[in-house]
Amino acid sequence: MNLTVSHLDKLRLPLLHKLYKANYPSGKPKGKEDIIALENNKIIIGAVRIKTYEDCHFLTGMMIIEEMRGKQLGNYLINETKKLLSLNHCYCLCDPQLTAFYLKNNFTLAKESIPHVITSKYERYTHGGKKLDILVYKKHNN
């Protein structure tokens, strides 16, 4: 495989919409988000969307196309994405079934000092009874 991870050119957003529709229908990429694409030989096989707020990033909508799942590409994408983060904290909300994946990739369960923008998203998404965990990745500056 010839894998690359980079910021998606906004001109390719319509292609990404099709991929999300086929592989992660509830995920809807928007032009205002920072989109990180995982490509194999210049063909998009995965993506993650990042919203940047004043003091943190919010990771959402991570997707690997169905035929490429089970090859550890999600781990690769998340770890390459972390290198592109400009702020020290990156939060995500995930189904509890995915929590182990994020913990394995150096996220921790967020327990304190969660920014209001993240808690408000959490409350909005869980208002109807949906279960989600809040996780955080803390960038270590060496």
Side-chain angles (χ1 to χ4, degrees):
M1 276 196 256
N2 184 19
L3 299 176
T4 58
V5 175
S6 62
H7 293 271
L8 183 77
D9 183 335
K10 299 298 181 193
L11 293 173
R12 297 177 75 197
L13 197 56
L15 172 61
L16 192 64
H17 278 279
K18 289 180 183 176
L19 288 175
Y20 267 88
K21 192 170 187 177
N23 295 279
Y24 184 12
S26 64
K28 303 209 180 348
K30 299 167 188 74
K32 293 180 180 179
E33 300 169 319
D34 204 7
I35 299 171
I36 308 298
L38 171 62
E39 298 182 72
N40 183 29
N41 296 316
K42 301 190 184 213
I43 297 170
I44 299 172
I45 59 171
V48 63
R49 298 169 11 236
I50 299 175
K51 295 178 184 177
T52 300
Y53 297 106
E54 197 172 298
D55 56 353
C56 68
H57 295 290
F58 179 65
L59 184 145
T60 186
M62 191 166 126
M63 175 274 302
I64 301 293
I65 62 171
E66 201 166 322
E67 56 269 22
M68 297 301 284
R69 292 178 187 165
K71 300 177 190 241
Q72 303 299 311
L73 294 171
N75 295 315
Y76 182 76
L77 176 57
I78 199 88
N79 283 301
E80 291 300 305
T81 297
K82 289 186 297 193
K83 295 174 186 176
L84 301 173
L85 298 175
S86 60
L87 299 173
N88 289 330
H89 292 84
C90 180
Y91 291 85
C92 72
L93 303 177
C94 74
D95 183 293
Q97 291 180 325
L98 295 172
T99 298
F101 166 80
Y102 288 100
L103 293 174
K104 184 170 91 174
N105 286 287
N106 300 315
F107 280 72
T108 57
L109 287 167
K111 305 242 189 253
E112 55 196 42
S113 302
I114 302 167
H116 176 73
V117 67
I118 304 301
T119 56
S120 65
K121 283 181 182 300
Y122 176 81
E123 289 166 4
R124 188 172 70 234
Y125 296 156
T126 59
H127 181 71
K130 186 174 187 174
K131 289 245 182 230
L132 292 173
D133 287 333
I134 303 175
L135 291 111
V136 62
Y137 169 73
K138 294 178 184 175
K139 194 171 185 174
H140 299 288
N141 297 326
N142 294 335

